[in-house]
Amino acid sequence: MKLPLHVDQFIQHQPRLVISQGLPVISAGIATDQAYYLMSGKAKDVSASRTKNAFDAGDMISFVAFLALDTYATDVIAKTRCEVLAIPRHVIEEQWGSEDIASWVFACSMASDVVKKQNPSMVDYVI
């Protein structure tokens, strides 16, 4: 999923992570207090779910989970060396909210619906 914000305004102020091939970019169970933007490299969701996600430079990693859940539900592993921008939740929420708070609420609500449809047994979501 492409980032719904302009990344260049975050690059100088947010931490960048360099992750070696084969190491986790996101581990299942970590808090969704940061969104992860893949600046370079390739990564893959290695969950056992029926939907496998591959991520390329320019993608948000597991953005629906970021919007809908308290913790990331699946592991994402670097397929190549990756440079990842970590963007705190409040930064994204403030950016969306500065234009129209309804868009943030709508995005989180839609993401929750997607998660519930993909995994009806999942009850650990936020709206």
Side-chain angles (χ1 to χ4, degrees):
M1 172 179 280
K2 298 298 179 193
L3 183 64
L5 305 170
H6 300 288
V7 174
D8 48 339
Q9 63 185 308
F10 299 114
I11 289 177
Q12 294 182 356
H13 304 292
Q14 302 306 322
R16 293 184 208 187
L17 311 169
V18 176
I19 300 161
S20 298
Q21 180 179 356
L23 294 179
V25 177
I26 295 175
S27 296
I30 66 167
T32 55
D33 57 350
Q34 294 187 107
Y36 298 92
Y37 174 77
L38 189 56
M39 295 179 68
S40 67
K42 294 182 181 290
K44 182 160 180 107
D45 178 331
V46 294
S47 70
S49 74
R50 57 193 159 118
T51 55
K52 301 283 185 189
N53 290 317
F55 304 101
D56 294 313
D59 286 341
M60 289 299 292
I61 301 172
S62 301
F63 197 59
V64 170
F66 166 77
L67 291 172
L69 303 173
D70 290 329
T71 60
Y72 286 100
T74 61
D75 294 324
V76 176
I77 304 298
K79 291 189 67 157
T80 65
R81 179 185 175 277
C82 294
E83 185 174 358
V84 178
L85 183 64
I87 307 171
R89 174 177 292 282
H90 72 87
V91 172
I92 294 176
E93 186 175 359
E94 287 171 8
Q95 178 69 27
W96 271 352
S98 68
E99 293 180 19
D100 177 15
I101 191 62
S103 63
W104 172 256
V105 174
F106 180 71
C108 291
S109 177
M110 293 300 293
S112 293
D113 287 346
V114 168
V115 168
K116 286 189 284 186
K117 286 179 183 175
Q118 288 178 345
N119 189 354
S121 64
M122 185 171 286
V123 293
D124 186 24
Y125 63 90
V126 293
I127 296 180

